[in-house]
Amino acid sequence: EIVLTQSPATLSLSPGERATLSCRASQSVSNYLAWYQQKPGQAPRLLIYDASNRATGIPARFSGSGSGTDFTLTISGLEPEDFAVYYCQHRRNWPNTFGQGTRLE
Amino acid sequence: EVQLLQSGGGLVQPGGSLRLSCTASGFTFINYGMSWVRQDPGKGLQWVSSISGSGATTYYADSVKGRFTISRDNSKNTLYLEMNSLRAEDTAVFYCARHTSESFFVYWGQGTLVTVSS
């Protein structure tokens, strides 16, 4: 099973600042990695797929990069609605595991 | 508009069974794989099970293998998760999700709470 480790666990920033979230895989997942955003009481929302492709309707301030074992989600110019929990997930093989999440506060 | 409407959660005793349903609309159901993802109270996301569009191929997390069965009825646009031998640690919100063509989870149901307790 591929383990995804996200860091930091909590990220404290202010609106307008830049957020950098990390996801590290225990073995290569190629570019088969996605990022999701989840707000309290809501289902997750797909932000980025295949490491760097924005999902439909996702603002351009969200960007993803990386390949192999190291990935980054960058949010440039935080908006108030961006404060949430972010998860990475791979689809390299089964099981498709998630990271433990980064809380952006 | 894509919609996934879930039903079937609730309170069940340890060792009991429950069936979750997820009825889809707004897209050609048979063309997409589907999955179940769970979230323990206050915790992160865990993939549970996936099924191909035809229903011919299924995958399970080790934690539910042999106890849970994923299935779909493409004539009813409905995904199911049959859960048997439920344990207290299965208490969670369960989400159904539709795959993208790349097999990520692009559309999600509203979630349904399963509570396993005596």
Side-chain angles (χ1 to χ4, degrees):
Chain A
E1 173 177 320
I2 296 174
V3 176
L4 299 179
T5 302
Q6 293 186 239
S7 61
T10 303
L11 185 58
S12 299
L13 293 170
S14 299
E17 293 190 298
R18 178 188 187 96
T20 303
L21 288 67
S22 174
C23 177
R24 176 163 290 178
S26 59
Q27 60 186 274
S28 176
V29 298
S30 185
N31 68 329
Y32 300 139
L33 190 105
W35 291 92
Y36 299 85
Q37 176 194 68
Q38 188 180 32
K39 297 178 181 179
Q42 296 185 17
R45 177 173 72 146
L46 178 65
L47 300 175
I48 301 288
Y49 65 95
D50 286 349
S52 61
N53 297 304
R54 269 191 305 277
T56 302
I58 301 303
R61 64 180 181 274
F62 291 91
S63 63
S65 63
S67 67
T69 60
D70 290 297
F71 300 86
T72 301
L73 173 69
T74 302
I75 312 170
S76 56
L78 284 165
E79 298 286 344
E81 62 266 28
D82 297 336
F83 292 89
V85 180
Y86 292 83
Y87 296 95
C88 57
Q89 179 230 349
H90 81 87
R91 66 172 186 92
R92 178 66 180 83
N93 56 20
W94 302 96
N96 294 170
T97 51
F98 289 88
Q100 82 280 16
T102 290
R103 179 178 303 277
L104 178 55
E105 62 176 30
Chain B
E1 179 192 5
V2 172
Q3 289 192 337
L4 299 174
L5 185 61
Q6 296 183 226
S7 60
L11 175 64
V12 62
Q13 292 189 340
S17 299
L18 208 57
R19 187 176 81 161
L20 306 183
S21 299
C22 172
T23 301
S25 60
F27 64 98
T28 304
F29 187 62
I30 195 171
N31 287 351
Y32 293 92
M34 299 288 294
S35 289
W36 291 97
V37 175
R38 61 187 281 174
Q39 187 164 35
D40 296 353
K43 302 295 185 182
L45 302 171
Q46 293 180 52
W47 170 77
V48 173
S49 181
S50 297
I51 188 168
S52 62
S54 67
T57 306
T58 58
Y59 302 93
Y60 296 93
D62 285 346
S63 60
V64 306
K65 204 171 293 182
R67 299 188 301 123
F68 291 10
T69 302
I70 190 171
S71 63
R72 62 192 295 161
D73 185 335
N74 287 337
S75 69
K76 296 181 178 179
N77 288 355
T78 301
L79 172 74
Y80 302 101
L81 185 67
E82 186 78 37
M83 302 184 293
N84 298 316
S85 303
L86 282 161
R87 307 164 180 166
E89 54 266 35
D90 293 318
T91 295
V93 173
F94 284 77
Y95 294 99
C96 64
R98 198 207 86 176
H99 294 187
T100 65
S101 55
E102 296 83 9
S103 296
F104 291 115
F105 309 141
V106 64
Y107 295 105
W108 297 69
Q110 82 276 19
T112 187
L113 177 62
V114 172
T115 303
V116 184
S117 175
S118 54

